[in-house]
Amino acid sequence: MTIDPPHEQVVFCRDADTGLRAIIAIHNTTLGPALGGTRFYPYAAEADALGDVLRLSRGMTFKSAAAGLDLGGGKAVIIGDPAVDKTPELLRAYGRFVDTLGGRYITAGDVGTTSEDMDLIGEGTAYVASKTVANGGCGDTAPMTALGVFSSLLAAAERVWGTADLSGRVVGVEGVGKVGTQLTALLLAAGATVLAADPYARARDAFAARFPQATIVDDVRCAPLDVYAPCAMGGTVSDALARETAAAIICGAANNQLVTPDVEHVLGARGVVWVPDYIANAGGVIQAFSEQQDWTATQLTAKVEALRERAGHVLETAASKSITAGDAARLIVAERLASAR
């Protein structure tokens, strides 16, 4: 079975009454229904939104397969500014579109959407995860996503430095939204020094008020780091960054971090360890999957913390086979999809 099958279904959704413009992409359902969040973002053009949702849904196939979940890969985007365009009526209309897919796609929260939004979407469909606890869901996935990134970082630290102790290590957190903030709390508790950057003043101010011991900088990518943790939008790990970064490890929550796959070869030539994003940031989808399994909070936490072992396995496979971590992760995914097929 090919590692990168074509998308199974792409649906364009429009509702004139609410102004809804959305795209749902189902990449692969070999392992189960496609689960992936809905991103609400002010894309400059519909083509940009389409490109993003195609990349993100493909990443969800890899993420669920690598995490050992019986889920396929899907994703959705709503085009617009969530601070301006998001309304209860629009979210309910979007839920009705999700419902037309009959369970092939299950949505959840993502950039620009919350558990409260999932409650509203859930008024139009049963195929929604990560609703608020009061409405029978598991709540915000940001804490578990951050825990997965942190756990994966510990595996990378052991590989690079021979210890998972982060005391005194300088970590640059790019993006201090829901996940970046949660990750910072874990890093500071582990004794790391945190530098953080975000383009939004409101996010920076809230972060500074919560974490006075962290330092806000204009651009963490230019700073003297031990770890670069991209936790905002994707596409930040460029060829130039790979050649210039001082970081020994790149491990973060952002999806599609590499501008091109070749960037990882540049990182590898310099000895920089990159934890594939769909390994490190799988905590959120594991939490969403937990709703289907009736796991306890303790079981969920253990499953997410097990990403440390999964990340370690990927890095060990890469080292033993003299391949990149990305190739090692794709090999693991390909074997699982082929077995299921």
Side-chain angles (χ1 to χ4, degrees), residues 3 27-28 30-32 35 57-73 152 274-283 285-286 289 303-315 317 325-338 340:
I3 181 58
H27 178 252
N28 189 275
T30 298
L31 296 173
L35 189 150
S57 55
R58 175 180 177 272
M60 289 305 300
T61 296
F62 283 49
K63 186 180 301 187
S64 291
L69 306 179
D70 295 329
L71 291 172
S152 299
W274 174 62
V275 180
D277 40 44
Y278 53 87
I279 300 294
N281 65 16
V285 73
I286 293 173
F289 181 70
K303 295 284 187 181
V304 174
E305 289 177 336
L307 289 174
R308 177 172 177 175
E309 284 70 42
R310 290 187 180 275
H313 176 55
V314 167
L315 297 178
T317 300
D327 285 340
R330 285 185 286 273
L331 178 63
I332 293 167
V333 170
E335 290 173 348
R336 181 146 193 258
L337 291 175

Tab-separated table of all heavy atoms in Angstrom, residues 3 27-28 30-32 35 57-73 152 274-283 285-286 289 303-315 317 325-338 340:
chain	number	residue	atom	x	y	z
A	3	ILE	N	2.233	4.902	0.813
A	3	ILE	CA	2.230	5.668	2.048
A	3	ILE	C	1.398	6.936	1.906
A	3	ILE	O	0.943	7.496	2.884
A	3	ILE	CB	3.684	6.019	2.454
A	3	ILE	CG1	3.713	6.813	3.772
A	3	ILE	CG2	4.359	6.827	1.373
A	3	ILE	CD1	3.080	6.132	4.914
A	27	HIS	N	-8.984	12.369	4.064
A	27	HIS	CA	-7.822	11.826	3.372
A	27	HIS	C	-7.869	10.317	3.259
A	27	HIS	O	-7.714	9.762	2.168
A	27	HIS	CB	-6.539	12.251	4.090
A	27	HIS	CG	-5.297	11.686	3.458
A	27	HIS	ND1	-4.552	10.686	4.047
A	27	HIS	CD2	-4.691	11.972	2.279
A	27	HIS	CE1	-3.531	10.385	3.258
A	27	HIS	NE2	-3.581	11.144	2.186
A	28	ASN	N	-8.110	9.623	4.384
A	28	ASN	CA	-8.025	8.173	4.369
A	28	ASN	C	-8.842	7.598	5.510
A	28	ASN	O	-8.788	8.095	6.626
A	28	ASN	CB	-6.554	7.730	4.503
A	28	ASN	CG	-6.360	6.250	4.282
A	28	ASN	OD1	-6.515	5.464	5.201
A	28	ASN	ND2	-6.028	5.861	3.062
A	30	THR	N	-8.882	4.039	6.053
A	30	THR	CA	-8.486	2.629	6.145
A	30	THR	C	-8.616	2.101	7.567
A	30	THR	O	-9.084	0.976	7.787
A	30	THR	CB	-7.032	2.457	5.663
A	30	THR	OG1	-6.942	2.844	4.293
A	30	THR	CG2	-6.576	1.008	5.814
A	31	LEU	N	-8.207	2.897	8.544
A	31	LEU	CA	-8.194	2.443	9.928
A	31	LEU	C	-9.480	2.756	10.681
A	31	LEU	O	-9.686	2.245	11.784
A	31	LEU	CB	-7.006	3.073	10.666
A	31	LEU	CG	-5.621	2.680	10.160
A	31	LEU	CD1	-4.545	3.498	10.861
A	31	LEU	CD2	-5.375	1.192	10.354
A	32	GLY	N	-10.332	3.609	10.118
A	32	GLY	CA	-11.557	4.001	10.800
A	32	GLY	C	-12.048	5.335	10.288
A	32	GLY	O	-11.505	5.885	9.323
A	35	LEU	N	-11.024	11.455	11.768
A	35	LEU	CA	-11.215	12.417	12.844
A	35	LEU	C	-10.158	13.513	12.727
A	35	LEU	O	-8.972	13.221	12.544
A	35	LEU	CB	-11.114	11.742	14.216
A	35	LEU	CG	-11.514	12.598	15.426
A	35	LEU	CD1	-12.087	11.725	16.539
A	35	LEU	CD2	-10.345	13.421	15.972
A	57	SER	N	-5.290	17.295	6.646
A	57	SER	CA	-6.017	16.020	6.687
A	57	SER	C	-5.078	14.853	6.425
A	57	SER	O	-5.201	13.780	7.039
A	57	SER	CB	-7.163	16.024	5.673
A	57	SER	OG	-6.698	16.326	4.373
A	58	ARG	N	-4.124	15.045	5.518
A	58	ARG	CA	-3.108	14.009	5.290
A	58	ARG	C	-2.312	13.775	6.571
A	58	ARG	O	-2.037	12.625	6.945
A	58	ARG	CB	-2.179	14.448	4.166
A	58	ARG	CG	-1.002	13.513	3.909
A	58	ARG	CD	-0.152	14.061	2.768
A	58	ARG	NE	1.031	13.237	2.520
A	58	ARG	CZ	2.188	13.379	3.121
A	58	ARG	NH1	2.343	14.321	4.066
A	58	ARG	NH2	3.205	12.598	2.829
A	59	GLY	N	-1.962	14.854	7.250
A	59	GLY	CA	-1.224	14.727	8.497
A	59	GLY	C	-2.002	13.961	9.554
A	59	GLY	O	-1.418	13.237	10.369
A	60	MET	N	-3.329	14.104	9.556
A	60	MET	CA	-4.143	13.387	10.531
A	60	MET	C	-4.133	11.878	10.283
A	60	MET	O	-4.176	11.078	11.227
A	60	MET	CB	-5.582	13.910	10.512
A	60	MET	CG	-5.759	15.300	11.083
A	60	MET	SD	-5.125	15.505	12.773
A	60	MET	CE	-6.110	14.290	13.649
A	61	THR	N	-4.068	11.460	9.021
A	61	THR	CA	-3.927	10.033	8.727
A	61	THR	C	-2.654	9.493	9.359
A	61	THR	O	-2.658	8.450	10.026
A	61	THR	CB	-3.890	9.801	7.207
A	61	THR	OG1	-5.135	10.189	6.630
A	61	THR	CG2	-3.620	8.331	6.882
A	62	PHE	N	-1.552	10.217	9.167
A	62	PHE	CA	-0.276	9.811	9.719
A	62	PHE	C	-0.322	9.830	11.246
A	62	PHE	O	0.187	8.924	11.912
A	62	PHE	CB	0.828	10.752	9.225
A	62	PHE	CG	1.259	10.500	7.809
A	62	PHE	CD1	0.331	10.368	6.790
A	62	PHE	CD2	2.596	10.401	7.486
A	62	PHE	CE1	0.718	10.139	5.484
A	62	PHE	CE2	3.001	10.166	6.177
A	62	PHE	CZ	2.061	10.040	5.176
A	63	LYS	N	-0.934	10.880	11.789
A	63	LYS	CA	-0.951	11.055	13.242
A	63	LYS	C	-1.696	9.908	13.930
A	63	LYS	O	-1.187	9.313	14.888
A	63	LYS	CB	-1.615	12.392	13.583
A	63	LYS	CG	-1.569	12.772	15.040
A	63	LYS	CD	-2.255	14.115	15.271
A	63	LYS	CE	-1.626	15.237	14.495
A	63	LYS	NZ	-2.200	16.556	14.849
A	64	SER	N	-2.890	9.604	13.454
A	64	SER	CA	-3.685	8.552	14.085
A	64	SER	C	-3.047	7.187	13.897
A	64	SER	O	-3.030	6.360	14.817
A	64	SER	CB	-5.110	8.562	13.520
A	64	SER	OG	-5.801	9.720	13.930
A	65	ALA	N	-2.500	6.935	12.705
A	65	ALA	CA	-1.861	5.645	12.452
A	65	ALA	C	-0.637	5.467	13.332
A	65	ALA	O	-0.424	4.410	13.933
A	65	ALA	CB	-1.481	5.528	10.977
A	66	ALA	N	0.186	6.507	13.423
A	66	ALA	CA	1.409	6.410	14.226
A	66	ALA	C	1.112	6.292	15.709
A	66	ALA	O	1.888	5.687	16.459
A	66	ALA	CB	2.288	7.632	13.973
A	67	ALA	N	-0.024	6.850	16.141
A	67	ALA	CA	-0.399	6.787	17.555
A	67	ALA	C	-1.101	5.486	17.913
A	67	ALA	O	-1.452	5.264	19.073
A	67	ALA	CB	-1.303	7.961	17.912
A	68	GLY	N	-1.322	4.624	16.915
A	68	GLY	CA	-1.956	3.338	17.170
A	68	GLY	C	-3.451	3.402	17.342
A	68	GLY	O	-4.059	2.501	17.929
A	69	LEU	N	-4.077	4.457	16.792
A	69	LEU	CA	-5.521	4.637	16.943
A	69	LEU	C	-6.268	4.065	15.744
A	69	LEU	O	-5.773	4.103	14.615
A	69	LEU	CB	-5.856	6.126	17.081
A	69	LEU	CG	-5.121	6.897	18.183
A	69	LEU	CD1	-5.538	8.356	18.163
A	69	LEU	CD2	-5.384	6.276	19.545
A	70	ASP	N	-7.467	3.571	15.990
A	70	ASP	CA	-8.309	3.056	14.907
A	70	ASP	C	-9.123	4.197	14.315
A	70	ASP	O	-10.354	4.236	14.380
A	70	ASP	CB	-9.222	1.948	15.431
A	70	ASP	CG	-8.445	0.729	15.885
A	70	ASP	OD1	-7.379	0.466	15.295
A	70	ASP	OD2	-8.886	0.057	16.828
A	71	LEU	N	-8.408	5.156	13.736
A	71	LEU	CA	-9.014	6.345	13.141
A	71	LEU	C	-8.327	6.658	11.824
A	71	LEU	O	-7.134	6.396	11.650
A	71	LEU	CB	-8.864	7.560	14.066
A	71	LEU	CG	-9.660	7.570	15.366
A	71	LEU	CD1	-9.229	8.757	16.219
A	71	LEU	CD2	-11.163	7.647	15.089
A	72	GLY	N	-9.084	7.252	10.927
A	72	GLY	CA	-8.526	7.750	9.690
A	72	GLY	C	-8.168	9.221	9.826
A	72	GLY	O	-8.207	9.790	10.919
A	73	GLY	N	-7.830	9.818	8.692
A	73	GLY	CA	-7.400	11.209	8.709
A	73	GLY	C	-8.344	12.133	7.981
A	73	GLY	O	-8.703	11.905	6.817
A	152	SER	N	7.231	13.869	24.124
A	152	SER	CA	8.086	13.598	22.970
A	152	SER	C	9.421	14.319	23.099
A	152	SER	O	10.470	13.780	22.701
A	152	SER	CB	7.374	14.031	21.686
A	152	SER	OG	6.166	13.310	21.503
A	274	TRP	N	14.833	16.369	14.816
A	274	TRP	CA	13.458	16.824	14.634
A	274	TRP	C	12.513	15.681	14.976
A	274	TRP	O	12.639	14.581	14.432
A	274	TRP	CB	13.219	17.269	13.189
A	274	TRP	CG	11.787	17.626	12.887
A	274	TRP	CD1	11.051	18.626	13.454
A	274	TRP	CD2	10.912	16.975	11.947
A	274	TRP	NE1	9.781	18.655	12.923
A	274	TRP	CE2	9.662	17.655	11.998
A	274	TRP	CE3	11.068	15.912	11.067
A	274	TRP	CZ2	8.567	17.287	11.202
A	274	TRP	CZ3	9.984	15.543	10.265
A	274	TRP	CH2	8.763	16.220	10.336
A	275	VAL	N	11.588	15.938	15.904
A	275	VAL	CA	10.545	14.956	16.199
A	275	VAL	C	9.397	15.229	15.241
A	275	VAL	O	8.814	16.326	15.278
A	275	VAL	CB	10.060	15.057	17.655
A	275	VAL	CG1	8.973	14.012	17.917
A	275	VAL	CG2	11.205	14.879	18.628
A	276	PRO	N	9.046	14.306	14.345
A	276	PRO	CA	7.975	14.562	13.388
A	276	PRO	C	6.728	15.092	14.084
A	276	PRO	O	6.299	14.570	15.121
A	276	PRO	CB	7.732	13.175	12.770
A	276	PRO	CG	9.082	12.521	12.838
A	276	PRO	CD	9.655	12.971	14.152
A	277	ASP	N	6.163	16.146	13.507
A	277	ASP	CA	5.064	16.846	14.173
A	277	ASP	C	3.884	15.932	14.473
A	277	ASP	O	3.258	16.048	15.530
A	277	ASP	CB	4.612	18.062	13.354
A	277	ASP	CG	4.594	17.799	11.860
A	277	ASP	OD1	4.123	16.726	11.451
A	277	ASP	OD2	5.063	18.678	11.107
A	278	TYR	N	3.566	15.023	13.561
A	278	TYR	CA	2.393	14.181	13.786
A	278	TYR	C	2.637	13.101	14.830
A	278	TYR	O	1.694	12.409	15.238
A	278	TYR	CB	1.891	13.571	12.471
A	278	TYR	CG	2.925	12.833	11.658
A	278	TYR	CD1	3.189	11.491	11.886
A	278	TYR	CD2	3.625	13.482	10.653
A	278	TYR	CE1	4.124	10.814	11.132
A	278	TYR	CE2	4.567	12.815	9.885
A	278	TYR	CZ	4.814	11.482	10.127
A	278	TYR	OH	5.760	10.814	9.377
A	279	ILE	N	3.874	12.943	15.271
A	279	ILE	CA	4.160	12.112	16.444
A	279	ILE	C	3.985	12.952	17.705
A	279	ILE	O	3.256	12.589	18.632
A	279	ILE	CB	5.595	11.553	16.386
A	279	ILE	CG1	5.819	10.694	15.131
A	279	ILE	CG2	5.905	10.765	17.657
A	279	ILE	CD1	5.028	9.420	15.092
A	280	ALA	N	4.644	14.104	17.734
A	280	ALA	CA	4.673	14.933	18.946
A	280	ALA	C	3.325	15.517	19.312
A	280	ALA	O	3.001	15.659	20.498
A	280	ALA	CB	5.695	16.057	18.778
A	281	ASN	N	2.512	15.874	18.315
A	281	ASN	CA	1.272	16.599	18.635
A	281	ASN	C	0.030	15.713	18.623
A	281	ASN	O	-1.095	16.210	18.472
A	281	ASN	CB	1.085	17.798	17.701
A	281	ASN	CG	0.884	17.414	16.242
A	281	ASN	OD1	0.594	16.267	15.925
A	281	ASN	ND2	1.037	18.379	15.344
A	282	ALA	N	0.217	14.423	18.809
A	282	ALA	CA	-0.909	13.478	18.743
A	282	ALA	C	-1.764	13.451	20.007
A	282	ALA	O	-2.785	12.761	20.047
A	282	ALA	CB	-0.401	12.071	18.442
A	283	GLY	N	-1.383	14.182	21.037
A	283	GLY	CA	-2.153	14.131	22.282
A	283	GLY	C	-3.602	14.547	22.114
A	283	GLY	O	-4.507	13.983	22.748
A	285	VAL	N	-5.616	14.279	19.390
A	285	VAL	CA	-6.442	13.269	18.734
A	285	VAL	C	-6.618	12.053	19.641
A	285	VAL	O	-7.667	11.388	19.619
A	285	VAL	CB	-5.854	12.871	17.359
A	285	VAL	CG1	-4.606	12.026	17.492
A	285	VAL	CG2	-6.900	12.122	16.534
A	286	ILE	N	-5.606	11.760	20.468
A	286	ILE	CA	-5.767	10.673	21.440
A	286	ILE	C	-6.887	11.014	22.416
A	286	ILE	O	-7.720	10.169	22.757
A	286	ILE	CB	-4.445	10.422	22.185
A	286	ILE	CG1	-3.393	9.860	21.230
A	286	ILE	CG2	-4.654	9.449	23.351
A	286	ILE	CD1	-2.006	9.737	21.831
A	289	PHE	N	-10.195	10.624	20.648
A	289	PHE	CA	-10.488	9.198	20.500
A	289	PHE	C	-10.968	8.596	21.813
A	289	PHE	O	-11.783	7.667	21.830
A	289	PHE	CB	-9.232	8.477	20.010
A	289	PHE	CG	-9.407	7.000	19.781
A	289	PHE	CD1	-10.172	6.537	18.723
A	289	PHE	CD2	-8.801	6.073	20.619
A	289	PHE	CE1	-10.324	5.167	18.502
A	289	PHE	CE2	-8.944	4.710	20.405
A	289	PHE	CZ	-9.707	4.255	19.345
A	303	LYS	N	-1.928	7.206	28.105
A	303	LYS	CA	-1.829	7.020	26.653
A	303	LYS	C	-1.055	8.165	26.011
A	303	LYS	O	-0.244	7.956	25.101
A	303	LYS	CB	-3.226	6.932	26.045
A	303	LYS	CG	-4.036	5.728	26.463
A	303	LYS	CD	-3.589	4.457	25.772
A	303	LYS	CE	-4.535	3.305	26.074
A	303	LYS	NZ	-4.101	2.043	25.412
A	304	VAL	N	-1.295	9.379	26.478
A	304	VAL	CA	-0.595	10.532	25.906
A	304	VAL	C	0.871	10.525	26.321
A	304	VAL	O	1.761	10.783	25.503
A	304	VAL	CB	-1.287	11.844	26.334
A	304	VAL	CG1	-0.483	13.053	25.863
A	304	VAL	CG2	-2.696	11.909	25.765
A	305	GLU	N	1.142	10.218	27.562
A	305	GLU	CA	2.540	10.159	28.016
A	305	GLU	C	3.318	9.062	27.295
A	305	GLU	O	4.547	9.145	27.168
A	305	GLU	CB	2.589	9.939	29.522
A	305	GLU	CG	2.149	11.169	30.320
A	305	GLU	CD	2.137	10.929	31.820
A	305	GLU	OE1	2.008	9.746	32.225
A	305	GLU	OE2	2.257	11.911	32.575
A	306	ALA	N	2.594	8.055	26.785
A	306	ALA	CA	3.254	6.985	26.039
A	306	ALA	C	3.825	7.474	24.710
A	306	ALA	O	4.599	6.750	24.057
A	306	ALA	CB	2.281	5.836	25.786
A	307	LEU	N	3.481	8.697	24.306
A	307	LEU	CA	4.106	9.267	23.112
A	307	LEU	C	5.611	9.413	23.304
A	307	LEU	O	6.366	9.488	22.334
A	307	LEU	CB	3.480	10.621	22.776
A	307	LEU	CG	2.046	10.560	22.229
A	307	LEU	CD1	1.479	11.967	22.075
A	307	LEU	CD2	2.013	9.817	20.895
A	308	ARG	N	6.059	9.453	24.543
A	308	ARG	CA	7.503	9.482	24.803
A	308	ARG	C	8.153	8.226	24.246
A	308	ARG	O	9.208	8.301	23.586
A	308	ARG	CB	7.751	9.597	26.306
A	308	ARG	CG	9.219	9.575	26.705
A	308	ARG	CD	9.365	9.887	28.192
A	308	ARG	NE	10.749	9.811	28.640
A	308	ARG	CZ	11.153	10.133	29.866
A	308	ARG	NH1	10.258	10.539	30.766
A	308	ARG	NH2	12.423	10.048	30.203
A	309	GLU	N	7.530	7.071	24.486
A	309	GLU	CA	8.073	5.824	23.967
A	309	GLU	C	7.939	5.766	22.441
A	309	GLU	O	8.844	5.269	21.748
A	309	GLU	CB	7.357	4.625	24.595
A	309	GLU	CG	7.769	4.320	26.018
A	309	GLU	CD	7.299	5.371	27.017
A	309	GLU	OE1	6.145	5.828	26.897
A	309	GLU	OE2	8.099	5.753	27.904
A	310	ARG	N	6.825	6.265	21.918
A	310	ARG	CA	6.629	6.249	20.457
A	310	ARG	C	7.663	7.135	19.767
A	310	ARG	O	8.246	6.758	18.746
A	310	ARG	CB	5.215	6.675	20.099
A	310	ARG	CG	4.154	5.650	20.482
A	310	ARG	CD	2.775	6.021	19.959
A	310	ARG	NE	1.788	5.015	20.348
A	310	ARG	CZ	1.543	3.892	19.680
A	310	ARG	NH1	2.207	3.643	18.557
A	310	ARG	NH2	0.646	3.033	20.107
A	311	ALA	N	7.876	8.318	20.325
A	311	ALA	CA	8.883	9.209	19.752
A	311	ALA	C	10.272	8.594	19.870
A	311	ALA	O	11.081	8.661	18.929
A	311	ALA	CB	8.839	10.569	20.451
A	312	GLY	N	10.544	7.985	21.016
A	312	GLY	CA	11.830	7.331	21.191
A	312	GLY	C	12.038	6.207	20.195
A	312	GLY	O	13.147	6.019	19.658
A	313	HIS	N	10.968	5.450	19.904
A	313	HIS	CA	11.049	4.361	18.928
A	313	HIS	C	11.349	4.902	17.537
A	313	HIS	O	12.159	4.329	16.788
A	313	HIS	CB	9.740	3.575	18.928
A	313	HIS	CG	9.667	2.488	17.904
A	313	HIS	ND1	10.609	1.487	17.794
A	313	HIS	CD2	8.763	2.258	16.908
A	313	HIS	CE1	10.285	0.678	16.795
A	313	HIS	NE2	9.182	1.131	16.245
A	314	VAL	N	10.707	6.001	17.184
A	314	VAL	CA	10.959	6.612	15.873
A	314	VAL	C	12.412	7.054	15.765
A	314	VAL	O	13.087	6.796	14.755
A	314	VAL	CB	10.008	7.815	15.659
A	314	VAL	CG1	10.455	8.653	14.460
A	314	VAL	CG2	8.578	7.342	15.444
A	315	LEU	N	12.914	7.716	16.792
A	315	LEU	CA	14.292	8.204	16.758
A	315	LEU	C	15.298	7.046	16.756
A	315	LEU	O	16.329	7.111	16.079
A	315	LEU	CB	14.546	9.135	17.944
A	315	LEU	CG	13.690	10.419	17.965
A	315	LEU	CD1	13.988	11.235	19.216
A	315	LEU	CD2	13.909	11.247	16.702
A	317	THR	N	14.668	4.003	15.538
A	317	THR	CA	14.564	3.396	14.214
A	317	THR	C	15.368	4.191	13.195
A	317	THR	O	16.079	3.624	12.355
A	317	THR	CB	13.090	3.312	13.775
A	317	THR	OG1	12.366	2.505	14.706
A	317	THR	CG2	12.969	2.705	12.382
A	325	ALA	N	14.231	10.827	10.848
A	325	ALA	CA	13.102	10.526	11.730
A	325	ALA	C	11.792	10.556	10.947
A	325	ALA	O	10.882	9.760	11.202
A	325	ALA	CB	13.060	11.516	12.888
A	326	GLY	N	11.694	11.477	9.992
A	326	GLY	CA	10.495	11.533	9.163
A	326	GLY	C	10.302	10.262	8.367
A	326	GLY	O	9.188	9.725	8.279
A	327	ASP	N	11.384	9.742	7.776
A	327	ASP	CA	11.290	8.487	7.028
A	327	ASP	C	10.950	7.332	7.960
A	327	ASP	O	10.191	6.425	7.587
A	327	ASP	CB	12.604	8.209	6.304
A	327	ASP	CG	12.800	9.086	5.076
A	327	ASP	OD1	11.791	9.622	4.575
A	327	ASP	OD2	13.955	9.241	4.635
A	328	ALA	N	11.503	7.344	9.164
A	328	ALA	CA	11.204	6.275	10.120
A	328	ALA	C	9.736	6.296	10.512
A	328	ALA	O	9.086	5.241	10.586
A	328	ALA	CB	12.084	6.432	11.361
A	329	ALA	N	9.201	7.484	10.762
A	329	ALA	CA	7.790	7.590	11.127
A	329	ALA	C	6.901	7.157	9.973
A	329	ALA	O	5.901	6.452	10.169
A	329	ALA	CB	7.469	9.028	11.537
A	330	ARG	N	7.253	7.561	8.756
A	330	ARG	CA	6.456	7.160	7.592
A	330	ARG	C	6.501	5.657	7.370
A	330	ARG	O	5.506	5.045	6.955
A	330	ARG	CB	6.935	7.913	6.346
A	330	ARG	CG	6.504	9.371	6.315
A	330	ARG	CD	6.889	10.045	5.016
A	330	ARG	NE	8.321	10.332	4.938
A	330	ARG	CZ	8.885	11.435	5.405
A	330	ARG	NH1	8.126	12.362	5.976
A	330	ARG	NH2	10.183	11.634	5.285
A	331	LEU	N	7.635	5.043	7.673
A	331	LEU	CA	7.751	3.588	7.560
A	331	LEU	C	6.798	2.896	8.525
A	331	LEU	O	6.104	1.940	8.161
A	331	LEU	CB	9.192	3.169	7.834
A	331	LEU	CG	9.495	1.668	7.805
A	331	LEU	CD1	9.243	1.105	6.417
A	331	LEU	CD2	10.946	1.410	8.230
A	332	ILE	N	6.742	3.387	9.753
A	332	ILE	CA	5.841	2.826	10.759
A	332	ILE	C	4.382	2.977	10.327
A	332	ILE	O	3.571	2.048	10.441
A	332	ILE	CB	6.096	3.492	12.122
A	332	ILE	CG1	7.485	3.103	12.655
A	332	ILE	CG2	5.004	3.134	13.123
A	332	ILE	CD1	7.954	3.932	13.832
A	333	VAL	N	4.056	4.158	9.804
A	333	VAL	CA	2.686	4.411	9.339
A	333	VAL	C	2.349	3.500	8.166
A	333	VAL	O	1.262	2.901	8.112
A	333	VAL	CB	2.516	5.886	8.944
A	333	VAL	CG1	1.189	6.109	8.224
A	333	VAL	CG2	2.590	6.775	10.176
A	334	ALA	N	3.251	3.370	7.213
A	334	ALA	CA	3.003	2.539	6.032
A	334	ALA	C	2.745	1.093	6.418
A	334	ALA	O	1.856	0.425	5.868
A	334	ALA	CB	4.190	2.622	5.075
A	335	GLU	N	3.515	0.595	7.380
A	335	GLU	CA	3.333	-0.793	7.814
A	335	GLU	C	1.967	-0.985	8.449
A	335	GLU	O	1.307	-1.995	8.220
A	335	GLU	CB	4.452	-1.165	8.784
A	335	GLU	CG	5.825	-1.279	8.129
A	335	GLU	CD	6.937	-1.489	9.140
A	335	GLU	OE1	6.683	-1.318	10.359
A	335	GLU	OE2	8.061	-1.824	8.729
A	336	ARG	N	1.541	-0.009	9.234
A	336	ARG	CA	0.239	-0.151	9.906
A	336	ARG	C	-0.907	-0.072	8.896
A	336	ARG	O	-1.873	-0.838	8.964
A	336	ARG	CB	0.081	0.930	10.968
A	336	ARG	CG	-1.236	0.797	11.698
A	336	ARG	CD	-1.189	1.200	13.159
A	336	ARG	NE	-2.409	0.744	13.791
A	336	ARG	CZ	-3.446	1.516	14.071
A	336	ARG	NH1	-3.388	2.816	13.816
A	336	ARG	NH2	-4.539	1.028	14.618
A	337	LEU	N	-0.831	0.862	7.958
A	337	LEU	CA	-1.886	0.989	6.955
A	337	LEU	C	-1.924	-0.244	6.064
A	337	LEU	O	-3.012	-0.738	5.729
A	337	LEU	CB	-1.664	2.235	6.106
A	337	LEU	CG	-1.873	3.586	6.810
A	337	LEU	CD1	-1.497	4.728	5.871
A	337	LEU	CD2	-3.309	3.735	7.281
A	338	ALA	N	-0.774	-0.768	5.680
A	338	ALA	CA	-0.740	-1.954	4.837
A	338	ALA	C	-1.331	-3.149	5.566
A	338	ALA	O	-2.061	-3.947	4.980
A	338	ALA	CB	0.709	-2.246	4.414
A	340	ALA	N	-3.587	-3.080	7.925
A	340	ALA	CA	-5.031	-2.889	8.037
A	340	ALA	C	-5.722	-3.164	6.719
A	340	ALA	O	-6.821	-3.734	6.667
A	340	ALA	CB	-5.338	-1.471	8.502
